[in-house]
Amino acid sequence: MELKRISPNKLTLRPFYTLDKQWALLTAGDRARFNTMTVSWGGLGTLWNKPVATVYVRPQRYTYEFTERNEYFTLSFFGGNFMDDLQYLGSHSGRDENKLSKTCLTPAFDAETAAPYIAEASCVLVLRKLYHDDIKPERFDDSSIIDSVYPAHDFHRVYICEVIAAYAKN
């Protein structure tokens, strides 16, 4: 079944379950050079009268430099399929190898933005950066999160992105 570009308003996605239990791939870059990483944190909703996705990337991740350099990137969802591939992509760095070549997944590129995504996904969101900031330790109301999630104080960068398009399988 082939992915078809659709309006984001036509999506039927269970964001809490999908991100927490099935994960996704955040892919950023261009046709010449890109990287992908597994994500299990994020949010989907409406902000500033736009459909948005909120994603989090630690600065030491190789994908970080690609999200910083590019206006567009994608989230690819797999509906629980390809978990071994997502595990591999989440535990190996693209700095060290062409990690995508070690999986059965293949890159594709959005026709309008050239943003890379993963062709085998069941759903893809094409994102355009609107806002970013770094998580700051002094802003935590529950400081126990710092010790449990950030013992190395490697706080995420937060990106709020407009969902400008979606792909879904028929």
Side-chain angles (χ1 to χ4, degrees), residues 57-97:
V57 181
R58 291 184 199 257
Q60 69 267 33
R61 295 296 300 260
Y62 186 49
T63 305
Y64 177 84
E65 68 183 65
F66 294 91
T67 58
E68 284 293 293
R69 274 200 313 261
N70 292 278
E71 179 180 9
Y72 300 97
F73 50 88
T74 63
L75 285 175
S76 298
F77 300 91
F78 297 87
N81 299 318
F82 304 98
M83 290 302 285
D84 288 342
D85 291 323
L86 273 66
Q87 177 69 38
Y88 186 85
L89 293 168
S91 60
H92 292 79
S93 176
R95 277 189 195 101
D96 304 326
E97 65 180 336

Side-chain angles (χ1 to χ4, degrees), residues 19-30:
L19 282 166
D20 187 43
K21 302 296 183 207
Q22 298 178 338
W23 310 335
L25 290 175
L26 186 158
T27 309
D30 56 36

Side-chain angles (χ1 to χ4, degrees), residues 76-139:
S76 298
F77 300 91
F78 297 87
N81 299 318
F82 304 98
M83 290 302 285
D84 288 342
D85 291 323
L86 273 66
Q87 177 69 38
Y88 186 85
L89 293 168
S91 60
H92 292 79
S93 176
R95 277 189 195 101
D96 304 326
E97 65 180 336
N98 178 356
K99 63 183 184 174
L100 198 57
S101 72
K102 305 280 175 80
T103 71
C104 65
L105 302 175
T106 53
F109 299 89
D110 178 55
E112 292 183 25
T113 66
Y117 65 92
I118 306 302
E120 290 79 9
S122 58
C123 174
V124 174
L125 303 180
V126 180
L127 309 178
R128 181 177 70 88
K129 291 189 299 189
L130 298 174
Y131 175 86
H132 71 273
D133 199 2
D134 297 323
I135 292 179
K136 298 170 182 71
E138 67 273 10
R139 302 306 306 244

Side-chain angles (χ1 to χ4, degrees), residues 3-13 50-52 110 112 123-126 162-170:
L3 287 167
K4 179 181 177 180
R5 192 174 170 117
I6 63 169
S7 165
N9 293 327
K10 303 238 185 230
L11 285 174
T12 56
L13 187 66
K50 300 174 184 296
V52 298
D110 178 55
E112 292 183 25
C123 174
V124 174
L125 303 180
V126 180
E162 180 179 9
V163 180
I164 62 163
Y167 288 88
K169 292 193 174 176
N170 295 339

